[in-house]
Amino acid sequence: MVSKFTILVLLFSTLFTQDNQDARILGLNGSYTTLASGYRAVGINPANLVVYPNKSWNIFNFSFGLNNNYFSIENYNALSGSHLDDSTHENYYPREKILDEFGGRGIRMWQSFNFLLPALNMSTDRMALTSRLTSNFDMGLSDGMIQFLFSGNPFGKDRYLDLEEVLLSNLEMGYSYGYTFHNYSAGFTVKYLLGLFYMGMEPLSSPTLTTDAYGFYGHPQYIIRQAMGGNGLGLDVGITSNEFDEGYRFGISIINLFGTIKWT
């Protein structure tokens, strides 16, 4: 039995994209790269620390997000009162159209929770110190399982019953600094990542279910990995241009570049 294992978590995956840290970024639908200021620039674009060199200090702040790749008011209205079997019905809605909406990914649900530790997030001039607790999960049903639920197991064909689930929680502490150049500003954040909890589920081999004249058979096998405690490093880099005469500026950032957590 393996008592110790190492899991490398690439933090620039969908679990750790840019977060909705406050109401302004949510209202702008994430268009915040050149607008974030103070300690809120950390995790968005650290170059803004020197673009907006003000002092800020967090007292209490947290954010929670939950989204998915299918369920919406538009899809609900389209399915409400629809008939999935009778093609002659006036409200007929073909099952194939529903499956196409998943785009081959099945149903996925993502959750994110960010809690900025009170009084431990601050910025002054071009420097910032931050500390936050994050929790994320990526769960759902694969495309093969959705097809199995909608259409059953077809005769003579393999149905791929994949399962990939991830739950992750960590504490992030960072030091950020920004510097001004001639036509632009640049900044970076060096982060220490303290892994608190990890649980993941994935298939060991090709988890298929096959139906023939004698019945159905398959050997789907899955492995569940769990760990408590780990550490790693992450790096954010960003660039913001000076404001043009027309009143606009450009910015770009990469969050959690090469970020990993080594779990024990």
Side-chain angles (χ1 to χ4, degrees):
M1 179 180 293
V2 178
S3 60
K4 184 176 181 179
F5 57 89
T6 300
I7 305 169
L8 295 180
V9 181
L10 301 181
L11 298 184
F12 47 80
S13 67
T14 56
L15 284 179
F16 287 89
T17 53
Q18 183 168 293
D19 299 308
N20 292 326
Q21 296 190 17
D22 54 35
R24 191 181 185 191
I25 187 176
L26 185 62
L28 292 171
N29 196 27
S31 302
Y32 204 44
T33 306
T34 62
L35 298 176
S37 62
Y39 68 86
R40 291 187 178 88
V42 178
I44 305 295
N45 187 352
N48 290 353
L49 288 170
V50 69
V51 175
Y52 309 105
N54 52 30
K55 295 178 174 63
S56 62
W57 181 41
N58 170 63
I59 298 177
F60 184 82
N61 190 2
F62 76 94
S63 64
F64 177 83
L66 185 65
N67 56 21
N68 69 93
N69 65 334
Y70 178 74
F71 296 107
S72 65
I73 295 178
E74 180 181 358
N75 287 337
Y76 171 79
N77 291 334
L79 291 174
S80 180
S82 298
H83 202 291
L84 302 180
D85 297 315
D86 187 2
S87 60
T88 62
H89 196 276
E90 60 178 353
N91 292 327
Y92 174 65
Y93 197 96
R95 298 172 185 263
E96 293 76 13
K97 187 174 181 180
I98 299 177
L99 294 174
D100 291 341
E101 292 282 347
F102 299 135
R105 300 184 60 193
I107 294 179
R108 305 303 302 178
M109 181 173 292
W110 302 279
Q111 173 268 330
S112 64
F113 173 75
N114 294 274
F115 177 63
L116 278 65
L117 300 184
L120 295 180
N121 293 267
M122 62 195 74
S123 68
T124 174
D125 297 329
R126 61 182 67 213
M127 184 185 69
L129 296 173
T130 54
S131 181
R132 66 173 180 168
L133 175 68
T134 65
S135 176
N136 305 267
F137 72 66
D138 178 1
M139 297 182 179
L141 298 175
S142 66
D143 186 64
M145 287 192 168
I146 295 298
Q147 293 185 25
F148 179 76
L149 293 175
F150 272 81
S151 307
N153 42 332
F155 185 82
K157 294 183 179 181
D158 293 338
R159 185 70 82 193
Y160 189 66
L161 303 180
D162 187 17
L163 272 178
E164 292 187 3
E165 322 293 340
V166 176
L167 174 63
L168 178 66
S169 178
N170 73 284
L171 180 66
E172 173 188 299
M173 293 167 282
Y175 169 79
S176 306
Y177 189 83
Y179 192 82
T180 302
F181 295 92
H182 180 59
N183 293 316
Y184 65 94
S185 299
F188 69 89
T189 301
V190 178
K191 295 184 286 189
Y192 172 71
L193 306 172
L194 177 62
L196 302 178
F197 178 78
Y198 170 87
M199 178 177 287
M201 183 177 183
E202 60 187 58
L204 278 177
S205 57
S206 180
T208 58
L209 181 68
T210 306
T211 303
D212 58 20
Y214 302 97
F216 60 90
Y217 56 90
H219 300 282
Q221 294 181 319
Y222 307 91
I223 184 172
I224 297 177
R225 300 181 184 271
Q226 178 178 321
M228 298 184 67
N231 59 81
L233 296 174
L235 176 67
D236 301 348
V237 293
I239 296 176
T240 301
S241 70
N242 292 346
E243 186 172 319
F244 292 87
D245 294 336
E246 293 80 1
Y248 60 85
R249 65 174 80 236
F250 295 101
I252 185 173
S253 62
I254 302 177
I255 306 303
N256 284 314
L257 179 65
F258 307 124
T260 60
I261 295 180
K262 183 178 180 180
W263 299 89
T264 55

